[in-house]
Amino acid sequence: MGQLRWLPLLAPLLLLRPPGVQSADPIQAFVVPHSHMDVGWVYTVQVRQLLEEGRLEFVIGGQVMHDEAVTHLDDQILQLTEGHGFLYETFGIRPQFSWHVDPFGASATTPTLFALAGFNAHLGSRIDYDLKAAMQEARGLQFVWRGSPSLSEQQEIFTHIMDQYSYCTPSHIPFSNRSGFYWNGVAVFPKPPPDGVYPNMSEPVTPANINLYAEALVANVKQRAAWFQTPHVLWPWGCDKQFFNASVQFANMDPLLDHINSHAAELGVSVQYATLGDYFRALHALNVTWRVRDHHDFLPYSTEPFQAWTGFYTSRSALKGLARRASALLYAGESMFTRYMWPALRGHLDPAWALQQLQQLRWAVSEVQHHDAITGTESPKVRDMYVTHLAAGMLGVRKLMVSIVLDKLQPQAPTAASSGAGPAGHFALVYNPLAWTVTTIVTLTVGFPGVRVTDEAGHPVPSQIQNSTETPSAYDLLILTTIPGLSYRHYSVRPTAGAQEGTQEPAATVATTLQFGRRLRRRTSPAGRHLVPVANDCYIVLLNQDTNLMHSIWERQSNRTVRVTQEFLEYHVNGDVKQGPISDNYLFTPGKAAVPAWEAVGMEIVAGQLVTEIRQYFYRNMTARNYTYAIRSRLTHMPQGHDGELLCHRIEQEYRAGPLELNREAVLRTSTSLNNQQVIYSDNNGYQMQRRPYLSYVNNSIARNYYPMVQSAFMEDDKSRLVLLSERAHGISSQENGQVEVMLHRRLSNNFDWDLGYNLTLNDTSVVHPVLWLLLGSWSLTAALRQRSAVALQHRPVVLFGDLAGTAPKLPGPQQQEAVTLPPNLHLQILSIPGWRYSSNHTEHAQNLWKGHRGEAQADLRRVLLRLHHLYEVGEDPVLSQPVTVNLEAVLQALGSVVVVEERSLTGTWDVGMLHRWSWRTGPGRRRGDTTFPSRPPGGPIITIYPKEIRTFFVYFQQQ
């Protein structure tokens, strides 16, 4: 190969003349090659040299280009933090620009996230084709985006949306039947063509065609110039799988650019290579006034009337669920390890091994946030790779957590059954990873019908046993637990033959189960003459005995009854391109409205002292032996003396869906008496809510009114609000007044050549078990509970379960542990020991890199990464939406004496005192965004956090 000149990472651009410049004056253009593909690392020294020379620039800098619709904010931050930490540790650089060209729609969380990370400008591409056309016409593709209504201009970012050509070079050239500007063709993996002739190779530049090439390029530049407010136009050179043979690319582009420059006067254009940063610097230097975009997102995304990219909100639901469970386990493992290390390491655990376990899962969770990963738009082989990485990472972190527990056990206490003898029972260690006291129910599976459950002090614990819905020969043991923040509870579970003094009498399933025969589906819903109530202190759920469906819910605080009925329906979709538009991993294209997927419903009500469970089984017909769908609903009864506000005010539902028939898309439809006018609200990445009114289109209105729900959604009228909280992403819509439907599962096959070539037919035969929590009540009640309940669902306590032999292992009880507790409107977004090997002093770190000392540095176990997130919007709640002041010395006293608190950028690579992001003019004579943080006293442990702020710190403790 020839001399390395550019690495294929970035986007090319062209700089046009300012308005008013005569046509005789040349237009200056900057061209930067890019390839949308994963590239291997080259040698560190060569990369540093290229960075120093300005010939290479890292953009985004995360582990992946994450999806924006179905990823959670916490996971987006994780993958950015991992990537930024590596780049800073290795090269001493901090990316300043984003390049988010391929996610399928754009979230309003993105501008806030990237502003907090220290980026000066953001570039996106995929937005709805109708909207992009209108913005092009109005020259509105560049703007300052204020993604958060609470943070507004405090965390704004300049945003460039690519025009209709997206991130690829225009491939059509009028003088040739080959594509243009792709001289190396398209990469073929894993076996390249032996003759070196790749698909889609452009005709080489020759003296005979160089004028034609120049005319084609210049014409495209001038076409784009009309779509932008500025004199600078981005012109991408490259696309997917490009620049695998960069020498061929440059050997053709070099003479073409030289030719244009030599004819600049007549063509009106001059060109040169540049980086994405050069483009944004050129824009910034203009000092023009930019439009402001508010907190609305760019979802959903459509490319044509029958191509609504809303199917991926649900595709591969099992992978979406696994990814979130892995993220939650990592979150718990991070804080458990941090608490193990501080205030003093007294055990025998090797910290280096522990960090390896955490790092493995950090990277696995990070990689699955890719826009062709958690979206479900990968092939089964790639899906299997993600599952393998997640499973291995989760196993490692579970081993770490068990090792920490065993290290704390008293040496004389046996922890496993002796050889040849059956277990005397089980012990369960329950860890609360949240920085709040949590009261909840944990469920264990045991093999005996009678149990006695005791806590650390040997006191009986409220519990309930019932037949397992999943394992016929096993039992579900439900234990009520209250756990302080970042603390453990330890329980012993022993079999008992029957009722004894101080023991838990098992809830005999036959005695506590009401069974209802199958009821046929009716065309009209009965008036509800035979209603069965199921109640706790907050709700009464009324079930219609004539249909075995839910009838209504009465909410105590508002004293209002809302009609609520739930059922499963399926969209029947086309898989033959000859018959019309298809659904696939990406697209949702229903031909007609959904139809009921059941003919009969069976029901059981299992009543107990802690929980009453409603089990509904949906059969495709009256004679079917097996059910395809099921709902298991739980209401919790709070014993006296327990504060269970969050627990009482939710109806926990777990669903079973599958296996589906081919080309079916399954939804749970909840129909209510709420007059929501077909308006729902769904979240952006678990961070903020978006209003979603139903919009009518000439074609494909059903699919184009689907939206992503990552963590929460709700619908409301003037009196009540129904909230849905989710532990994984789904598509959600309101197709009729008072209705909300959640897509749970998809199974598809089609004969579209592109899908077949990449094995993207989504023939998913799995059974999925998604979970939703329902909250019903007034606006004020649900506003106060929604955010905290959503976090509680994402981060449920982690249970470590083992066998007992004789004496129970002894662990510190809650009275012997010092809790970590935050106010209820603050979420401990992360508490971890990253193990980075760089100095937080940038000058010192840069000097170490140049001296070649990076390899000698050890993982820094003293540095604790702390990130706090204010959960509430301005005005959302009269109390919880207020700024909150905390003293980190007091909050973290359980970890030791705080010595130093350093406030950092979102991913930790910037000292906020040194971070000065570019400002962009948004009004006459003024600029905004001179700094990403409001004026605050420098340093110190006492901090005030304002609504929706996310603040990151390095904390150092006194070593003991």
Side-chain angles (χ1 to χ4, degrees), residues 466-518:
Q466 59 193 38
N467 284 342
S468 172
T469 56
E470 297 299 322
T471 309
S473 59
Y475 302 88
D476 289 339
L477 174 62
L478 284 60
I479 301 173
L480 179 68
T481 180
T482 296
I483 319 173
L486 271 59
S487 299
Y488 307 87
R489 293 300 305 271
H490 169 232
Y491 300 103
S492 296
V493 180
R494 297 181 181 277
T496 179
Q500 301 173 19
E501 184 179 354
T503 67
Q504 165 65 47
E505 172 68 19
T509 304
V510 174
T512 58
T513 300
L514 293 174
Q515 296 184 339
F516 299 81
R518 295 189 194 181

Side-chain angles (χ1 to χ4, degrees), residues 59-104:
V59 292
I60 310 177
Q63 293 284 76
V64 297
M65 185 189 299
H66 65 250
D67 173 69
E68 297 188 34
V70 299
T71 49
H72 195 280
L73 171 74
D74 294 352
D75 300 327
Q76 294 179 358
I77 295 174
L78 171 69
Q79 73 87 19
L80 274 179
T81 301
E82 288 299 298
H84 285 192
F86 172 83
L87 289 176
Y88 189 60
E89 183 176 271
T90 308
F91 304 115
I93 63 100
R94 298 170 286 202
Q96 297 184 48
F97 308 101
S98 79
W99 172 257
H100 249 225
V101 296
D102 212 23
F104 320 130

Side-chain angles (χ1 to χ4, degrees), residues 414-474:
T415 59
S418 58
S419 176
H426 303 290
F427 74 90
L429 183 133
V430 187
Y431 177 67
N432 171 24
L434 296 174
W436 308 318
T437 297
V438 169
T439 297
T440 191
I441 300 287
V442 295
T443 302
L444 311 177
T445 300
V446 297
F448 31 80
V451 296
R452 179 174 182 262
V453 181
T454 54
D455 63 13
E456 309 87 353
H459 298 144
V461 176
S463 57
Q464 174 181 321
I465 196 162
Q466 59 193 38
N467 284 342
S468 172
T469 56
E470 297 299 322
T471 309
S473 59

Side-chain angles (χ1 to χ4, degrees), residues 201-245:
M201 293 180 75
S202 302
E203 183 178 330
V205 174
T206 66
N209 65 19
I210 195 166
N211 282 330
L212 298 174
Y213 261 116
E215 291 170 1
L217 193 154
V218 169
N220 183 256
V221 169
K222 291 181 177 179
Q223 179 188 20
R224 286 171 151 166
W227 298 334
F228 289 91
Q229 171 188 351
T230 73
H232 308 312
V233 177
L234 192 73
W235 192 84
W237 177 33
C239 196
D240 294 356
K241 304 176 184 177
Q242 283 295 302
F243 288 92
F244 59 94
N245 192 342

Side-chain angles (χ1 to χ4, degrees), residues 125-136:
S125 181
R126 293 185 183 268
I127 66 172
D128 192 89
Y129 74 102
D130 278 340
L131 180 57
K132 179 173 282 193
M135 293 174 73
Q136 274 185 183

